[in-house]
Amino acid sequence: MSGESLRDVAEKARSNAYAPYSSFHVGAALRSATGNVYGGANVENASFGVGICAERSALVTAVTAGDRNFDELVLVSDATEPAAPCGACRQALSEFAPALRIVSHGLNGKTAEWSLAELLPHQFKLDEQNRFTE
Ligand code: THU
């Protein structure tokens, strides 16, 4: 990873966040099982609902590049406490990595760690016939 940590990638992404409406900047770094790392930032829009979170930004970049298996997500944000991903991002990530390890850094220097399964019990899933499955 050329000396650059997942946290470095997440911090760089956060510095590029486009958050003129909330002023809440988020950066994510998603590592694939093959060792590739993808950064993502939140990108807001004047039509508020069109904005995208940092986690899904990193996820769509990774999937677009051809990676679908992930083992770790690192998050940084403007929050004092380590921020956990929103519900929509939990569901989006669970499609590809239900056992993902998530590490979040707060501005207070604290770090929190969760598994995605812990943050999202009862993931919404469909089987091959598009029927809901447990
Ligand atoms: N945001 C994220 O990027 N990730 C989350 O998990 C929660 C919220 C962004 C969305 C919006 O741009 C800003 O933070 C305030 O909600």
Side-chain angles (χ1 to χ4, degrees), residues 22 24 26 42 44 53-55 84-86 89:
S22 73
F24 188 72
V26 186
N42 54 327
E44 298 184 348
C53 292
E55 297 90 325
C86 80
C89 289

Side-chain angles (χ1 to χ4, degrees), residues 10-12 32 49 54 67 78 82 85 95-96 100 118:
E11 291 286 8
K12 193 183 282 178
S32 74
D67 269 312
D78 293 344
E95 180 85 11
F96 297 95
L100 189 68
E118 182 187 349

Side-chain angles (χ1 to χ4, degrees), residues 47-131:
S47 178
F48 294 167
V50 174
I52 186 169
C53 292
E55 297 90 325
R56 275 176 291 147
S57 172
L59 179 67
V60 297
T61 301
V63 173
T64 301
D67 269 312
R68 292 183 181 178
N69 295 308
F70 307 105
D71 52 29
E72 188 170 345
L73 174 77
V74 169
L75 285 178
V76 295
S77 79
D78 293 344
T80 305
E81 296 290 334
C86 80
C89 289
R90 295 178 196 190
Q91 175 63 29
L93 291 162
S94 74
E95 180 85 11
F96 297 95
L100 189 68
R101 167 185 147 92
I102 299 169
V103 178
S104 182
H105 301 284
L107 292 182
N108 59 5
K110 288 189 194 159
T111 299
E113 285 189 35
W114 310 271
S115 72
L116 182 54
E118 182 187 349
L119 294 181
L120 185 71
H122 308 290
Q123 165 199 12
F124 182 81
K125 267 196 291 194
L126 297 178
D127 67 15
E128 297 73 28
Q129 280 78 45
N130 285 342
R131 279 189 294 251

